[in-house]
mmCIF file of all heavy atoms in Angstrom:
data_model
loop_
_atom_site.group_PDB
_atom_site.id
_atom_site.type_symbol
_atom_site.label_atom_id
_atom_site.label_comp_id
_atom_site.label_asym_id
_atom_site.label_seq_id
_atom_site.Cartn_x
_atom_site.Cartn_y
_atom_site.Cartn_z
ATOM 1 N N ARG J 195 29.756 -11.638 -31.193
ATOM 2 C CA ARG J 195 29.582 -13.042 -30.814
ATOM 3 C C ARG J 195 28.675 -13.166 -29.600
ATOM 4 O O ARG J 195 27.859 -14.090 -29.508
ATOM 5 C CB ARG J 195 30.946 -13.664 -30.515
ATOM 6 C CG ARG J 195 31.828 -13.837 -31.739
ATOM 7 C CD ARG J 195 33.147 -14.467 -31.355
ATOM 8 N NE ARG J 195 34.012 -14.665 -32.520
ATOM 9 C CZ ARG J 195 35.230 -15.173 -32.464
ATOM 10 N NH1 ARG J 195 35.740 -15.532 -31.280
ATOM 11 N NH2 ARG J 195 35.946 -15.316 -33.563
ATOM 12 N N THR J 196 28.796 -12.220 -28.670
ATOM 13 C CA THR J 196 27.941 -12.238 -27.483
ATOM 14 C C THR J 196 26.475 -12.079 -27.868
ATOM 15 O O THR J 196 25.590 -12.771 -27.352
ATOM 16 C CB THR J 196 28.345 -11.110 -26.520
ATOM 17 O OG1 THR J 196 29.708 -11.286 -26.143
ATOM 18 C CG2 THR J 196 27.452 -11.106 -25.279
ATOM 19 N N LEU J 197 26.192 -11.170 -28.787
ATOM 20 C CA LEU J 197 24.813 -10.947 -29.229
ATOM 21 C C LEU J 197 24.263 -12.169 -29.958
ATOM 22 O O LEU J 197 23.086 -12.510 -29.811
ATOM 23 C CB LEU J 197 24.757 -9.713 -30.149
ATOM 24 C CG LEU J 197 25.065 -8.367 -29.470
ATOM 25 C CD1 LEU J 197 25.064 -7.240 -30.507
ATOM 26 C CD2 LEU J 197 24.037 -8.087 -28.377
ATOM 27 N N PHE J 221 5.431 -10.231 -14.281
ATOM 28 C CA PHE J 221 4.679 -9.426 -13.318
ATOM 29 C C PHE J 221 4.848 -10.002 -11.913
ATOM 30 O O PHE J 221 5.166 -9.287 -10.962
ATOM 31 C CB PHE J 221 3.199 -9.403 -13.706
ATOM 32 C CG PHE J 221 2.329 -8.665 -12.720
ATOM 33 C CD1 PHE J 221 2.210 -7.285 -12.789
ATOM 34 C CD2 PHE J 221 1.637 -9.339 -11.736
ATOM 35 C CE1 PHE J 221 1.421 -6.600 -11.880
ATOM 36 C CE2 PHE J 221 0.844 -8.662 -10.827
ATOM 37 C CZ PHE J 221 0.733 -7.292 -10.897
ATOM 38 N N ILE J 295 2.948 -4.094 0.103
ATOM 39 C CA ILE J 295 3.791 -4.395 1.265
ATOM 40 C C ILE J 295 3.589 -3.342 2.350
ATOM 41 O O ILE J 295 3.310 -3.665 3.506
ATOM 42 C CB ILE J 295 5.271 -4.453 0.853
ATOM 43 C CG1 ILE J 295 5.543 -5.691 -0.007
ATOM 44 C CG2 ILE J 295 6.180 -4.472 2.088
ATOM 45 C CD1 ILE J 295 6.863 -5.637 -0.737
ATOM 46 N N LEU J 362 -2.580 16.121 -2.048
ATOM 47 C CA LEU J 362 -3.032 16.768 -3.284
ATOM 48 C C LEU J 362 -1.853 17.147 -4.173
ATOM 49 O O LEU J 362 -1.923 17.012 -5.405
ATOM 50 C CB LEU J 362 -3.864 18.002 -2.947
ATOM 51 C CG LEU J 362 -5.212 17.728 -2.263
ATOM 52 C CD1 LEU J 362 -5.883 19.032 -1.869
ATOM 53 C CD2 LEU J 362 -6.129 16.906 -3.166
ATOM 54 N N TRP J 528 -17.320 -2.626 21.209
ATOM 55 C CA TRP J 528 -16.483 -1.428 21.167
ATOM 56 C C TRP J 528 -15.511 -1.509 19.986
ATOM 57 O O TRP J 528 -15.162 -2.594 19.523
ATOM 58 C CB TRP J 528 -15.661 -1.291 22.453
ATOM 59 C CG TRP J 528 -16.455 -0.847 23.651
ATOM 60 C CD1 TRP J 528 -17.305 -1.604 24.404
ATOM 61 C CD2 TRP J 528 -16.452 0.455 24.242
ATOM 62 N NE1 TRP J 528 -17.841 -0.870 25.425
ATOM 63 C CE2 TRP J 528 -17.323 0.406 25.357
ATOM 64 C CE3 TRP J 528 -15.787 1.653 23.965
ATOM 65 C CZ2 TRP J 528 -17.556 1.518 26.167
ATOM 66 C CZ3 TRP J 528 -16.006 2.756 24.772
ATOM 67 C CH2 TRP J 528 -16.889 2.677 25.858
ATOM 68 N N LEU J 540 -5.849 4.778 10.322
ATOM 69 C CA LEU J 540 -4.710 3.870 10.239
ATOM 70 C C LEU J 540 -5.132 2.434 10.495
ATOM 71 O O LEU J 540 -4.576 1.495 9.924
ATOM 72 C CB LEU J 540 -3.652 4.265 11.268
ATOM 73 C CG LEU J 540 -2.840 5.519 10.950
ATOM 74 C CD1 LEU J 540 -2.160 6.030 12.201
ATOM 75 C CD2 LEU J 540 -1.815 5.217 9.882
#
Side-chain angles (χ1 to χ4, degrees):
R195 291 181 179 179
T196 301
L197 293 176
F221 176 83
I295 290 165
L362 293 175
W528 286 76
L540 286 162

